[in-house]
Amino acid sequence: MAMLLLLSGLMLLTQSPRSLGTEVTVKNCTENSLTTAACTLITCAAAQNGLPGRDGRDGREGPRGEKGDSGSPGAVGPTGLPGPVGPVGPKGDSGSAGEPGPKGDDGRPGPPGPPGVPGPAGREGPKGMQGNIGPQGKPGPKGEAGPKGEVGAPGMQGSSGTRGPTGPKGERGAPGERGAPGNAGVAGPAGATGPQGPLGARGPPGLKGDRGAPGDKGAKGESGLPDVTALRQQVESLKEQVQRLQGTLSHYKKAELFPDGRSVGDKIFKTAGFEKSFQDAQKICTQAGGQLPSPRSAAENQALHQLLVAQNKGAAFLSMTDSKTEGKFTYPSGEPLVYSNWAPGEPNDDRGGEDCVEIYDTDGKWNDQICEEQRLVVCEF
């Protein structure tokens, strides 16, 4: 037993009180204590959480020892692991506004954005002013004949039409009855001496006269027959000139019946401003002493085009047709064309039966057309 106590005391003495974290008090043995129960070792409990004591015999509780001096602080231990992230703190108050910084450089323009959604329809704006009347379009193709309509009610009496051209000269009437002879008028002044008349018939021979004295011999005269022949030729030439002048005068008088016209070279294009079919227009021009236009050059076609532009009627018929041979257009005399101004793709005999020719007022181009259509009547003189 004494050996156990001695070993326990040695063990405790060899350990540093600082490492154990306890305070140890050793009580010296007295002679009295040694005589009774050998040396008694008293261990004081640690100040905080000391090591448990070994099971021993229940001894008497000794007095509490005095508190020892605090040991020197130990070395700083290693840095511990970071603790978990704390909760987010409350939002701080907004700081005061800072002074505006300097203006930055203009950035490059960004790519165009996608087109926006169309907005709602705006309110209807005020009614605009009426525009100018556009040029008249080209006549469209003739539509198919519709079903025959019912007989309509008789229309009101129309206004009087424009005066038509002078009709052809009528046949000479029968001679009237001979009137009573009138009183003799006052004798007029003597007229100019007329040309010498033709030689009369040879008269009966007269009585033989006395023989006269012989005269001087004259120069040989020219034969009279050539002079008479030359005079007759001159008279015939004058007659032809008068007839031509009369025809020209009549030509201009008839042309004056048409109010509007254009002249180019020896030709005059005239119109009265109304529309007819090809056959009716041809008849009107023939009765007026002319014919439907037959432009034989660009200048004549231009003059005719200018007349159509002034009338603003769309188109007018020309004199040429291909009624005898399809696709071969000729003048009324039968000769082939010496000039043409067809529109692109014409003539095409669209829908068949387009045997006549019309000229547009838009550009002066030609188009083959059905002869029954109504077009502006223009005559050539």
Side-chain angles (χ1 to χ4, degrees), residues 250-260 268 270-271 288 381:
S250 175
H251 182 80
Y252 278 99
K253 285 183 178 180
K254 292 178 180 179
E256 288 301 320
L257 297 175
F258 296 86
D260 297 325
I268 299 177
K270 286 278 191 173
T271 180
F381 297 96

Side-chain angles (χ1 to χ4, degrees), residues 74-327:
V76 178
T79 304
L81 298 175
V85 180
V88 179
K91 182 178 180 180
D93 298 333
S94 301
S96 59
E99 296 181 359
K103 183 177 180 182
D105 298 334
D106 294 336
R108 294 182 180 178
V117 179
R123 293 179 298 175
E124 184 177 358
K127 186 175 181 182
M129 299 177 62
Q130 183 175 358
N132 298 328
I133 299 175
Q136 182 172 355
K138 296 181 180 180
K142 184 176 180 181
E144 298 179 359
K148 187 176 181 180
E150 298 178 357
V151 179
M156 299 176 61
Q157 177 70 28
S159 57
S160 300
T162 57
R163 182 176 179 180
T166 305
K169 186 176 180 181
E171 297 179 358
R172 185 169 182 174
E177 297 180 358
R178 185 179 182 85
N183 297 328
V186 180
T193 304
Q196 183 177 351
L199 296 177
R202 186 180 181 87
L207 297 175
K208 186 175 181 180
D210 295 333
R211 185 180 181 88
D216 298 332
K217 187 175 182 179
K220 186 177 181 180
E222 298 179 356
S223 175
L225 285 178
D227 292 340
V228 174
T229 304
L231 289 174
R232 288 180 178 177
Q233 291 177 351
Q234 292 178 3
V235 170
E236 292 298 328
S237 177
L238 290 173
K239 286 182 179 180
E240 292 178 359
Q241 292 181 12
V242 170
Q243 289 177 354
R244 284 198 297 269
L245 290 174
Q246 289 177 344
T248 303
L249 180 61
S250 175
H251 182 80
Y252 278 99
K253 285 183 178 180
K254 292 178 180 179
E256 288 301 320
L257 297 175
F258 296 86
D260 297 325
R262 292 287 188 280
S263 63
V264 52
D266 296 334
K267 289 186 178 181
I268 299 177
F269 299 114
K270 286 278 191 173
T271 180
F274 53 84
E275 297 177 328
K276 294 289 183 180
S277 66
F278 176 82
Q279 287 78 10
D280 292 341
Q282 193 177 42
K283 186 182 299 184
I284 290 172
C285 292
T286 302
Q287 291 175 352
Q291 66 172 23
L292 287 175
S294 302
R296 294 172 178 257
S297 67
E300 294 180 4
N301 196 80
Q302 179 67 16
L304 182 58
H305 174 226
Q306 292 175 355
L307 178 60
L308 265 65
V309 171
Q311 294 296 314
N312 194 24
K313 292 291 185 179
F317 277 121
L318 302 180
S319 68
M320 299 82 76
T321 66
D322 68 344
S323 56
K324 293 183 178 180
T325 304
E326 177 60 37

